[in-house]
Amino acid sequence: MGAIIKPDAHLILYLPSGNHKIVKVSPGRKVPLGKFGSFDADQILGHPFGLTYEIDNQGCLTVVDSLDSVVDEATWTDSEDNRMLVDDPDSQKMTMDEIETLKKDKQLTGQEIVAKVIESHSAFNKKTAFSQEKYIQRKAQKFLKRFRTQSIGSNELMEYYNAKDPARIMDLRMETLGLMLSLANVQPGGTYLIVDGVSSLVVCAVLERLGPEGQLVLLHENEMVNLEPLQLMGIDLVSDPRVKPVSFLKFLHPEEFRAELEFATAPPPQEQLDQLKTSQRNRTLRRYRKAVQYKNIVDLRNSHSFDALLIATTLQVSGLVQALIPFVHGSRSIVVYHPCKEPLVDLEENITRPDNRLIATQILESAVRPYQSVPGRFHPHMSLERGGGYILHCLRAYPTAVQAQGRR
Amino acid sequence: MGAIIKPDAHLILYLPSGNHKIVKVSPGRKVPLGKFGSFDADQILGHPFGLTYEIDNQGCLTVVDSLDSVVDEATWTDSEDNRMLVDDPDSQKMTMDEIETLKKDKQLTGQEIVAKVIESHSAFNKKTAFSQEKYIQRKAQKFLKRFRTQSIGSNELMEYYNAKDPARIMDLRMETLGLMLSLANVQPGGTYLIVDGVSSLVVCAVLERLGPEGQLVLLHENEMVNLEPLQLMGIDLVSDPRVKPVSFLKFLHPEEFRAELEFATAPPPQEQLDQLKTSQRNRTLRRYRKAVQYKNIVDLRNSHSFDALLIATTLQVSGLVQALIPFVHGSRSIVVYHPCKEPLVDLEENITRPDNRLIATQILESAVRPYQSVPGRFHPHMSLERGGGYILHCLRAYPTAVQAQGRR
Amino acid sequence: MGFLDLPNVISEGDLVMVRLGKSQFKPVTMQSGETLHTRYGSYPHNDMIGKPYGSQIPAMGDKGFVHVLAPTPELWTLSLPHRTQIVYTPDASYIVQRLEIRPGSKVIEAGTGSGSFTHALGRTVGTSGDVWTFEFHEVRWEAAKVELEQHGYKDIVHSFYRDVCSDGFQPASGVHAVFLDLPKPWLAIPSLPQYLELGGISRICCFSPCVEQVIETIKTLKECSWTQIETVEVSCREWIVRKEMRRTLEDVLKRQESFRERRSAIQQRKRKLEELEKQDDDDDSSVVGSPPNKDDIPYVDLYNPWGKGERIVKGDDRFQWDIFSAGERDIKSHTSFLTFAVLAPAPPKMKT
Amino acid sequence: MGFLDLPNVISEGDLVMVRLGKSQFKPVTMQSGETLHTRYGSYPHNDMIGKPYGSQIPAMGDKGFVHVLAPTPELWTLSLPHRTQIVYTPDASYIVQRLEIRPGSKVIEAGTGSGSFTHALGRTVGTSGDVWTFEFHEVRWEAAKVELEQHGYKDIVHSFYRDVCSDGFQPASGVHAVFLDLPKPWLAIPSLPQYLELGGISRICCFSPCVEQVIETIKTLKECSWTQIETVEVSCREWIVRKEMRRTLEDVLKRQESFRERRSAIQQRKRKLEELEKQDDDDDSSVVGSPPNKDDIPYVDLYNPWGKGERIVKGDDRFQWDIFSAGERDIKSHTSFLTFAVLAPAPPKMKT
């Protein structure tokens, strides 16, 4: 059996308009859907993910086949071409008020409203089948009260940020994220070093591939790491034991934190704890646990054997990569994402190519081109959001002591 | 009636292999075609361009429909898929020697040889129709002795250099050249300023659009302009009165050439000429004509009214554009080509955007993607030569004396 | 003045392309006494007439300005409303180059559509050439015809209201190049040969958005003996140049150092306060000097290399800036498939 | 050691990817005593065993070197001969991400082909997942099966010699994701539902090079109730960074000045010679001093800012260099169309 929707789960709901909405479904609570009204969460709790529902005017849900199909087969006549069609804003005879009346007073469903709207278009049969279909689809997106449920993973997170504020994920897209994970050879049980300036999207995606045994060290540039925003979408990075956040300073300069590391070598003696007030004792124990976690990270660091370094940040990447080379194990990958090519060209020219600890540097640009797949009208989408940015990939090597000269 | 092949014309011949060859066809002479032998030029003189010929073993030509179609319909059986096909270099039972015998001794035509080669392939009917077609095409390209004639214009020139040494035209491609000409609004009767580091390709293309009234000033970076190479292809830039070459130094600093300009103001007095030896007189007259041509260019320069500036060069473009801005008339275009984006980004950032004499800067990248159009197997070509580089386009403006501030 | 006249100075009656925004152009016919009102201020035509094309014109009593530009087929295309079917410049320029259209060429176009490509064809064939253009949508035909005449193409472009699929391409003759932007080009292709140049090479481009149309078109072209059939797509990206502040690892480390200093300063003060409290508890009278003040936190200047919390204008020279270029956000990924083909001339008698 | 073991040090029996050139990788199984002979020198396995993966290994008595790398599905793909049908990394990585394949996923693949994508699937599902892979070409099936077992996927990947179009996907069950790389995927799609996870979302990707196949596939997917059908193409370009010498207009002008100086010096000398000749003719005895020498041309040092005529290594610091990046010359423009779809779970009874 596939996963089911559990109480208090976070979901992403896809709407006919192509928009989506992140909601939490709690027993006995209503789920608000904006102008579509709302529905009782209980109606979908226990259901599998991936179903599409239609909301009637009472807020009751029915499972339907698709978000935007209206009637099985268009029964209208069409025109070979649009030579008879004259642009006329008055060809739609129904006013918005009349449509509102249909909705509110006549209690028509979305489907029925779309049918009425088409009926009242005076020039509908002068349109080509192509234009008719576009018109119906536009109306369907406007009047159908449907949604599809989906659990939230890295792909949905990416879609969410891409619609809301693509800068927060540095315009990262699925083809490029997928390519990063493959080139970094992310797999169950691995140990990864990550710089994530993309709202923890890389962290999430790596966790999905990590299995229970893997782990990742997350380097952050602030005073404290900020993993809370994803809690609001039901993704708990804060208490995931596989996620080990640490500041650049503490990772790169553990020698400045000797006291903390020494503190972690043995638990505070019981007699010492016994002498403290409860609040002080708890504070000491918390400090000890944090120090142990830090020591654990420093041990990973000192083993120089991360299974890959993944970077997606607005920090200048050249200096970053240079500082982190030593910690990556030989034959493992360094993968750096940037929406623009320039920082990666700089990185290749000034760091990865001159440094013989890095080999096989390549800068890649991956892009996906979607097609419209309406029967009889197959073609690439007319417009497209811009491509998925660039990846620099190279491998960590151990040069021989006496530098071999020559080729390459 | 369309153009016909005149005596001593230069032609480009396209071969079934996709290669081409530039030849001169002179009455009574043979035209060599490498391993395909040769044919008498007289056989095609007076013919229209664009025909496809097959050469028989006596060197006689017949007009045929296509360069590479072999037999009307394949009569072999095919296989649904290639599950029965095992890679085996021995499946072709005929040796190269046997094929040579067919050619030389049996005097078979290319078509007949291809048919024999297919017959003797033991696993041919285990191939899919798709693989069969590919196989036949490969053999057709190898054995068919055919060629198609074509006159030489900018498109053929581009194809020639693209195959021979793309660096000599800086990887310029048809989509980008076409876009340059459109954005520069090249039209009959215009006057254009050109920097051409692409083997005179831009000059040729502009001339094709210029009509008899137009003219172009060609800035060159050497001691002398080099227009001779195109003579070998029948394109005479040297004696074309519309082409006015001048060095950067003489164009930008006419004040250093006052003597020459003064010399051009009036023809040398007859009495003075009479006193000279013949050789000296000719030299003086030649010097006078050159001075007049130079003065003519300087007059064009001083009118500050070129109808566009077109640049394709490996020189650093920022300094170049900055020096040439004053000579372009208001509302006319500056169009700069480069195979890499970096120099154009530098040009936009440091010259065209900060300078209020230039507006509407854009950097464009145009690319053509060809499809394979075999019936039943429509798809983009699997591999593709890299794209057509980048264009920076902007318009010349006259700022108001008191600089308007604010938007933009 | 027509598009083909390459005028230098704006005259009464000229069609001027007024540049309002980045790629916002408004065609305006100059009439002295009239005023152009825009969101960016008002501009009396009298301020423009007599100025050279390309001039920057300040708004009447305002801070705005516009540029007055000479019309070209490309600017005209940009000024058209986007909903109209338009052959955009990247496609148009490639088609003209590949069909080898030149001054004096004779060209067929069907349908005319918005007439934007017709302008580009007319520019290239010039007064020694001819463009026969056909449109089956009456309103569209009328509009394009009027515009083309106003724009100075009267003697070059010949417009017809006609369905070429059923009624052919009369009176075109001696044609070198054919452009078909029709829902079903395969219905028009068979009748073409009679209009083409005798004994010359003819070239065709069929413009179709969908694969199914392309497949049908290729079939018909083959049946009608066209050769060198090739379908392509032209795509064109614009690249936007921008500045981004350089943020280095060294600055991150210094900043994290300063966080650390601040934290340890706060902790020291806290410890001090606790000690004092303890002393307070132990011996109230032993306090020497003034008690620690809440606001007395030792001030640690946080290292702020990137001006956090300030309003920074791009390029501010207190910071380092990198120049990046990024593709425009919304790409016209697909306009149409362009199917090209060549019809060879009839073969002459062979000399043997 | 298998691909999934992430080993640190090379051991006897390991499969090592030896990097010979830019993207030239040779899989070699370590056997002490053996030697790898390449165009770039010879490398005894004993020089590699015991070294950490990633080590640079100098050639035996030679100047060459190689790097010894741990195998990954991506390096393995690069080492395959190009003629084989391969799902390359840009497609493979996108498919895995979009089909939401994770540790523990159950996946169907048909056909196996070269097995390169099977490696990537096996890596991601890990030991808690299953990949059922089917191939109708016996030789290819056998080869892939052997390789996959040698590479440590024995418990994860289950290989079958089978035509899935006629004979189905037994014993697959509870499947989350399906990848079909078949000439006619529409023949295999109808039988799929019985193998899919009950009550879960199933995802499919069909990999077809031609449009006609895609159209047929979409039709069948619709008939079989698959939704969210979308066809895409993935393209991937490599960018090459290179240095180019900066050549400025100032240098051009200085160079042309020096040409001019040389020419005028030559002319001056010529005039002088002519004058002397004239004097010679007039009065032979009046010559004072030595006569002008042919080799006596006043030497003008030509300004040579770009080292013309010299051999220059890129980056030579007597010159200025710009950093450019250009797309690789030959682009894999099209591999296949990827048609994705989702099958929703069966609807439960609704609470009302």
Side-chain angles (χ1 to χ4, degrees), chain B residues 2 45 148 154-156 182 185 187 208-209 331-332 341 349 363 365 367 369 371 397-398 400 407-408, chain C residues 4 6-7 20 54 56 65 70 93 97 100 103 123 198 228 231-233 235 237 239 243 325 351:
Chain B
L45 285 173
R148 190 177 66 241
S154 59
N155 287 344
E156 290 75 24
S182 286
N185 196 27
Q187 64 178 61
E208 282 173 357
R209 305 269 183 111
S331 190
R332 308 300 199 265
K341 186 159 41 108
E349 180 61 25
I363 296 176
E365 178 190 14
R369 188 179 203 210
Y371 283 71
Y398 301 121
T400 46
R407 334 168 266 118
R408 256 165 267 164
Chain C
L4 281 164
L6 295 173
L20 301 170
Q56 188 183 39
F65 65 84
S93 56
Q97 181 67 18
E100 303 199 355
R123 173 199 32 213
L198 263 176
Q228 298 170 249
T231 302
V232 308
E233 269 186 285
S235 64
R237 273 216 268 194
W239 290 89
K243 283 198 176 86
S325 58
K351 299 163 194 163

Side-chain angles (χ1 to χ4, degrees), chain C residues 102-317:
Chain C
R102 313 261 165 97
S105 288
K106 316 228 169 271
V107 183
I108 279 175
E109 182 196 35
T112 313
S114 68
S116 74
F117 187 41
T118 327
H119 282 73
L121 290 171
R123 173 199 32 213
T124 302
V125 305
T127 47
S128 58
D130 288 288
V131 178
W132 292 275
T133 186
F134 302 87
E135 173 58 49
F136 63 50
H137 190 292
E138 190 170 8
V139 177
R140 235 184 272 150
W141 164 71
E142 186 71 39
K145 185 179 161 67
V146 168
E147 274 167 10
L148 286 159
E149 286 177 5
Q150 284 172 350
H151 297 172
Y153 292 100
K154 204 177 155 108
D155 297 332
I156 300 168
V157 175
H158 320 290
S159 288
F160 300 89
Y161 169 43
R162 166 108 48 91
D163 181 354
V164 293
C165 295
S166 49
D167 302 333
F169 299 93
Q170 290 83 1
S173 78
V175 165
H176 305 108
V178 178
F179 175 69
L180 299 183
D181 177 4
L182 298 169
K184 298 182 176 176
W186 53 88
L187 298 179
I189 290 168
S191 82
L192 276 171
Q194 57 186 296
Y195 310 103
L196 306 178
E197 188 191 32
L198 263 176
I201 301 176
S202 303
R203 293 183 169 84
I204 193 171
C205 173
C206 302
F207 189 82
S208 306
C210 304
V211 166
E212 291 84 352
Q213 295 168 307
V214 172
I215 290 172
E216 192 68 25
T217 301
I218 291 174
K219 211 178 117 217
T220 305
L221 285 170
K222 279 194 176 151
E223 285 165 5
C224 296
S225 300
W226 292 78
T227 59
Q228 298 170 249
I229 299 170
E230 187 183 53
T231 302
V232 308
E233 269 186 285
V234 178
S235 64
C236 190
R237 273 216 268 194
E238 184 175 349
W239 290 89
I240 312 297
V241 178
R242 63 164 203 254
K243 283 198 176 86
E244 292 289 341
M245 191 189 288
R246 182 178 299 174
R247 299 167 58 243
T248 66
L249 177 61
E250 289 77 58
D251 283 335
V252 168
L253 293 176
K254 280 193 207 159
R255 196 160 157 264
Q256 290 184 331
E257 279 285 9
S258 77
F259 285 138
R260 192 189 174 202
E261 280 162 25
R262 185 174 64 173
R263 209 178 317 141
S264 86
I266 290 169
Q267 271 166 358
Q268 261 176 22
R269 183 176 170 282
K270 208 167 161 192
R271 234 169 289 147
K272 221 178 196 170
L273 274 173
E274 279 174 358
E275 265 170 44
L276 284 169
E277 244 169 61
K278 219 174 161 193
Q279 288 179 1
D280 254 24
D281 291 349
D282 293 352
D283 176 10
D284 216 304
S285 65
S286 74
V287 183
V288 179
S290 56
N293 190 313
K294 278 242 167 181
D295 304 329
D296 202 24
I297 299 176
Y299 181 72
V300 173
D301 198 11
L302 272 185
Y303 183 64
N304 185 5
W306 314 307
K308 282 211 175 182
E310 299 174 40
R311 251 194 78 168
I312 295 159
V313 176
K314 292 221 166 186
D316 183 326
D317 57 13

Side-chain angles (χ1 to χ4, degrees), chain D residues 216-234:
Chain D
E216 192 69 25
T217 301
I218 291 175
K219 212 179 115 215
T220 304
L221 285 169
K222 278 193 177 153
E223 285 164 5
C224 296
S225 299
W226 292 79
T227 58
Q228 298 168 249
I229 298 169
E230 188 183 52
T231 302
V232 308
E233 269 185 285
V234 178

Side-chain angles (χ1 to χ4, degrees), chain B residues 133-400:
Chain B
E133 209 163 286
K134 284 220 156 166
Y135 187 83
I136 294 173
Q137 208 187 358
R138 231 167 33 234
K139 297 301 163 191
Q141 289 178 353
K142 198 162 169 186
F143 297 114
L144 291 187
K145 288 155 68 171
R146 297 184 184 178
F147 64 87
R148 190 177 66 241
T149 62
Q150 181 71 49
S151 61
I152 302 171
S154 59
N155 287 344
E156 290 75 24
L157 203 59
M158 199 159 12
E159 223 169 325
Y160 170 78
Y161 279 117
N162 193 35
K164 195 181 161 190
D165 182 6
R168 289 180 57 186
I169 54 168
M170 292 173 74
D171 294 313
L172 186 55
R173 299 174 73 86
M174 206 198 288
E175 58 273 32
T176 311
L177 180 59
L179 189 55
M180 288 180 81
L181 298 173
S182 286
L183 292 176
N185 196 27
V186 174
Q187 64 178 61
T191 303
Y192 302 94
L193 185 60
I194 296 178
V195 181
D196 183 319
V198 288
S199 304
S200 303
L201 179 55
V202 170
V203 171
C204 280
V206 168
L207 286 174
E208 282 173 357
R209 305 269 183 111
L210 215 47
E213 309 293 318
Q215 53 189 337
L216 60 87
V217 170
L218 172 60
L219 301 174
H220 70 84
E221 58 165 288
N222 293 309
E223 185 165 14
M224 308 286 281
V225 72
N226 183 13
L227 300 173
E228 282 74 20
L230 293 195
Q231 305 283 68
L232 298 174
M233 307 188 207
I235 299 173
D236 183 7
L237 302 179
V238 177
S239 53
D240 190 323
R242 300 171 300 172
V243 180
K244 301 178 190 304
V246 64
S247 76
F248 277 107
L249 183 64
K250 292 183 82 169
F251 186 83
L252 289 171
H253 298 291
E255 74 281 1
E256 294 188 25
F257 298 85
R258 282 216 192 91
E260 186 172 353
L261 291 169
E262 259 159 44
F263 186 57
T265 48
Q270 196 57 45
E271 57 270 36
Q272 190 188 313
L273 288 175
D274 290 341
Q275 290 172 0
L276 297 171
K277 286 192 219 160
T278 316
S279 68
Q280 276 179 322
R281 191 179 333 144
N282 287 345
R283 213 188 303 150
T284 306
L285 284 171
R286 202 161 56 235
R287 203 157 63 87
Y288 172 67
R289 279 194 305 270
K290 278 183 69 179
V292 168
Q293 204 191 6
Y294 177 46
K295 184 170 183 302
N296 176 247
I297 291 169
V298 173
D299 289 345
L300 278 175
R301 168 198 190 276
N302 291 342
S303 72
H304 300 269
S305 63
F306 282 97
D307 287 317
L309 166 62
L310 295 102
I311 296 179
T313 177
T314 56
L315 288 171
Q316 193 194 28
V317 288
S318 300
L320 215 54
V321 168
Q322 191 167 36
L324 297 173
I325 298 170
F327 309 110
V328 181
H329 189 276
S331 190
R332 308 300 199 265
S333 289
I334 294 175
V335 181
V336 185
Y337 166 77
H338 205 281
C340 297
K341 186 159 41 108
E342 288 85 350
L344 303 185
V345 169
D346 172 57
L347 174 58
E348 170 164 353
E349 180 61 25
N350 295 310
I351 308 292
T352 71
R353 204 141 35 103
D355 191 321
N356 58 18
R357 293 174 301 168
L358 299 174
I359 59 171
T361 300
Q362 47 177 196
I363 296 176
L364 299 174
E365 178 190 14
S366 189
V368 155
R369 188 179 203 210
Y371 283 71
Q372 171 180 295
S373 52
V374 175
R377 289 175 203 112
F378 190 76
H379 64 72
H381 277 208
M382 294 292 180
S383 65
L384 178 61
E385 283 180 1
R386 78 158 170 247
Y390 301 83
I391 285 175
L392 179 139
H393 173 232
C394 62
L395 294 169
R396 171 79 157 96
Y398 301 121
T400 46

Side-chain angles (χ1 to χ4, degrees), chain A residues 94-107:
Chain A
M94 205 183 285
T95 64
M96 274 316 290
D97 283 350
E98 287 170 340
I99 293 169
E100 276 308 302
T101 308
L102 287 178
K103 273 203 261 188
K104 297 242 168 82
D105 302 353
K106 304 251 179 149
Q107 298 279 324

